[in-house]
Amino acid sequence: MSEMNTPEGMELTLRTLAMPADTNAAGDIFGGWVMSQMDLAAAIRANERCNGRTVTIAANEIVFKQPVKVGDTLCVYTAVDQVGRTSMVIRIEVWARRAYTALREKVTEARFTMVAVDADGKPRAVDLPAV
């Protein structure tokens, strides 16, 4: 994938910079921080798809392929893979643009299941307008 290309069928949903405060004891970026960025991107994509609030009910098939380092730009791409009555499966790929270079590497991938909810936090149909 070149710098200007997006993974096929996906859109850039979130982009952020990995900072020293996000490191683990080994000095790499903490996997939990990467997961939180993925969860944010899944929520953005799911909220846009259902025109309302969603909640995460599952984070599945998370694969950490390579470490993220301080100074890397994290690019989180998403696609809506499946839509049910109240839920959606969001496919996520995380790519790191390595600090001070044009090198881009896929570092993490996963599928998050999101549920559309109403104002009371109860599941609602994905394709109905939020109240």
Side-chain angles (χ1 to χ4, degrees), residues 108-122:
T108 312
E109 62 187 11
R111 295 179 189 281
F112 277 53
T113 304
M114 311 296 288
V115 171
V117 295
D118 62 19
D120 296 322
K122 304 292 184 202

Side-chain angles (χ1 to χ4, degrees), residues 36-78:
S36 72
Q37 303 310 305
M38 296 168 78
D39 193 33
L40 289 169
I44 290 167
R45 188 66 186 266
N47 292 351
E48 290 172 351
R49 170 58 181 84
C50 77
N51 295 310
R53 181 177 167 219
T54 60
V55 294
T56 306
I57 63 163
N60 300 306
E61 304 170 31
I62 299 172
V63 179
F64 293 97
K65 296 177 171 289
Q66 296 188 50
V68 177
K69 303 288 188 181
V70 171
D72 289 349
T73 300
L74 208 67
C75 302
V76 186
Y77 296 90
T78 62

